[in-house]
Amino acid sequence: MNVCKAHQAMRKIALAFLFFLLNIGFMGAMAGQDFRALKNGVEVSSGAETVRVVALRDDVVRVRMWRGGEIPEDASWAVLAEARAGAAPTTAVKSAEFAGFETAKLRVLIRRSDLRLTVMDRAGNVLQEDARAVEMRGTEFRIAKVMPAEEHYFGLGDKAGPLDRRGQAFTLWNTDAYQWQESTDPLYKSIPFYMSFCKGRALGVLLDNTWRSQFDFGKAKANTLEFGAANGPLDYYVIYGPTPKEVLGGSRWLTGATPLPPMWALGYQQSRYSYMTEARVLEVAAKLRADRIPADAIYLDIDYQVKNRPFTVDRESFPDFAGMLKKLHGEGFHVVAITDLHIAKVDAGYAPYESGTAGDHFVRKEDGTVFWGKVWPGPSVFPDFTRQQTRDWWGGLYGEFERAGLDGYWNDMNEPAVFESPTTTMSEDVQHRIEEPGFAKRTASHAEIHNVYGMENSRATYEGLLKIEPDVRPFVLTRASFAGGQRYAVTWTGDNSSTWNHLRMTTPMLENLGLSGFALSGADVGGYAGTPTAELLTRWMEIAAFQPIDRDHTEKGSGDQEPWVGGAEQEAIRRRYIEERYRLMAYLYTTAEEMTRTGVPMLRALFVEFPDAAVDRHPLDVDRDIAPEFLMGPELLIAPQPYGEKTDAYAVTLPTEGWYDYWTGQRVARMAKAGLPTVMVTPELARLPVYVRPGAIVPMAPLVQSTEERPVGPLTLRVYAGGDCRGSLYQDDGKSFGYRRGEYLREEFGCEVKDGGLRVRIGAREGKYAAWWKTVRVEVYGWSGAGRVMVDGKPTASEKTEQGLAVTVADEGKGTELVWQ
């Protein structure tokens, strides 16, 4: 039997399973006091404990366990109701020792004596095996899994440290962690999902429990993975691949898709705590335009408000707020304003407090009085977001801001953070009222709700904006969240620091956020806490140009951090990389749209695209010298220095042969290393190594200063000759939900090198959205041949370039074929 490690126990289970496959009788023989066959699974009891395992799909099973006679409520903040209602056909099986079932892709076994679980694929490969019986002590539970030596673990959201979680342990409890460091835990988000990867086979596990939980990947006990929670239901999902992309798709199916963002959200964003006056905001915007630095958004931190009170505007510092927004819109800027969830507790004259009190929308203590704590406005109260009516009230507070012209909202401090508290948050005995469709109406302690509080805050914002502007895509940025929170908001890594180490940590944090469902994420470019050196800021801006959210942000009291800080030479480099982001906007937006459909993040670890690249099929990203590398979409590989402060040459390892240098279009030189091609790089400040996958077709557009500006000129297709040559382009208006009504444009491309010639196909357009281009410039890299090309059978002269060949052709959307011989 082919398994990650030849454990004798695994062999025994597999043989036992084969035995009862040969000896299964009719269904009546399965009857027994400890066993019940379900339409899509089994239920097995041992003593006071019962486990129910059901197949929601052929590749997704749900495991629930409880003590006593009554199964816990089937309700979830994270997993969609339609997913929980899923049912795949199963064949039940039973022997004296085991009970279980089989789907088209999986085999599930439960040992009847102690309810230990094993999940296998149909070939008999053990994918997951309980190391011991589940431990239930009082309200707590602990699950232990065998950790094969070759298995690696990823996920859990924005935890700091290496990409691979093996050998580490974590607590999930949303925490305001100002100036967090590599060893800081817990952090801002609680996403109880991990992906295991062993010799090319991927498996996902989602623990659906909102209480304080722990995950230990072999730190306390070698070769034993343990996870559990302080209270609440033992309820988890196992998602099989076997590829990482299939696991990500299964996770998306369970917890929901990331909605397509407005296109401007992918542009460069400028922020700080705080731009103190209207004049300063306009000055920064004017400087960005005067210096021809493309940008799409400017942020307003808490100082635009009256005494830091949410949903107010300080008219002394911002005397013409609506006029400022109108002027910024005219210059192609969008404005994002912070709206923290704490509502100032004041006697009179503050509408959010008055309406919230009148509607009974604030959380209470056990004695029935409203809970308050100190935050930025001083004494503050907190909305009870587990009530649908409270979320509706909160969402309605955005009406005046929407009418004024704000474009997006930033939900910060929503762990929730509370000053002068020994726990930095609410007391765990604060009461929340669950009044939510799909849930039993009841009161829950903050200990249960804490980890979903920030997610429900962003949900209230997102849903409220949809009610106000039903055909405008909301933009919500949240700091705290839970599994499924990607349905409502994008996120970032919180209050990082202006150090080389924090720049280095950004890549694995964003990769793990993407693997955990948060595909639209970023980090404060340049670092939030402190002032970066000019070189550090430049390096950071270079790398951030290839990340999903590109926001430059810093704290009060730090030095200026805009792109021009540090002199003309530094500004020129930073401008170049921001410009490149905008030239790639067609590619970025296409990748974002793919992410909404598939769950595959924009920023990807290498093993997501290349799970079988290594000879032994381990994930490349766990290798120390490869760890800094990442993919933006399927085609671009970015390879920063392992240590940005060092000047030493370093090796870039590529997952396959034939990659191209993005900047020159030339195939890169190769050196053999452990079976994979490598290239040596000598660091240069102005040059971030970027490579393009052979067979890629990358769409690019003329440079604009914001996504509001219509590109002028041809669409460019960069064709990098190689196997499996293809690409795609997706476009819509970037703002509305018109794409759901067919108002989109989708175009597929392909190329083939055959019989000494090169054939490039531009597919016919799909959808009703009109293209901004009339012509397409096709640039060919990696193939040199005749300068003459046949375009739809008609001879056309093509241009010789330093990199290869190019030709510009008319594009009416009906499909075009180009053939070089």
Side-chain angles (χ1 to χ4, degrees), residues 133 161 163 285 344 422 432 462 535 561 586 665 683:
L163 178 66
H432 297 262
Y462 183 85
E535 182 176 346
Q561 202 163 286

Side-chain angles (χ1 to χ4, degrees), residues 282-344:
L282 293 173
E283 179 186 17
V284 171
K287 178 70 170 172
L288 286 164
R289 292 291 179 252
D291 286 12
R292 304 292 294 170
I293 299 170
D296 262 275
I298 292 182
Y299 279 65
L300 303 178
D301 211 321
I302 60 175
D303 291 292
Y304 80 94
Q305 304 168 135
V306 177
K307 299 179 181 179
N308 297 331
R309 296 174 183 173
F311 301 102
T312 66
V313 176
D314 183 346
R315 297 298 177 178
E316 292 186 6
S317 299
F318 292 81
D320 186 11
F321 191 69
M324 177 192 75
L325 297 178
K326 183 177 180 181
K327 182 174 178 59
L328 290 168
H329 289 161
E331 296 171 355
F333 287 101
H334 301 82
V335 182
V336 180
I338 200 167
T339 51
D340 289 337
L341 55 76
H342 41 251
I343 298 296

Side-chain angles (χ1 to χ4, degrees), residues 652-721:
V652 174
T653 301
L654 300 170
T656 59
E657 295 279 358
W659 286 67
Y660 294 80
D661 185 309
Y662 175 81
W663 306 111
T664 67
Q666 302 297 318
R667 288 187 187 266
V668 296
R670 302 195 307 271
M671 299 190 323
K673 181 184 178 184
L676 294 173
T678 65
V679 56
M680 291 301 299
V681 174
T682 299
E684 301 175 41
L685 180 60
R687 188 181 181 85
L688 172 67
V690 180
Y691 303 95
V692 187
R693 183 180 191 166
I697 301 180
V698 179
M700 301 186 70
L703 180 63
V704 293
Q705 292 300 297
S706 83
T707 59
E708 289 294 305
E709 183 180 339
R710 187 179 179 89
V712 177
L715 171 73
T716 296
L717 296 180
R718 289 189 177 181
V719 178
Y720 297 87

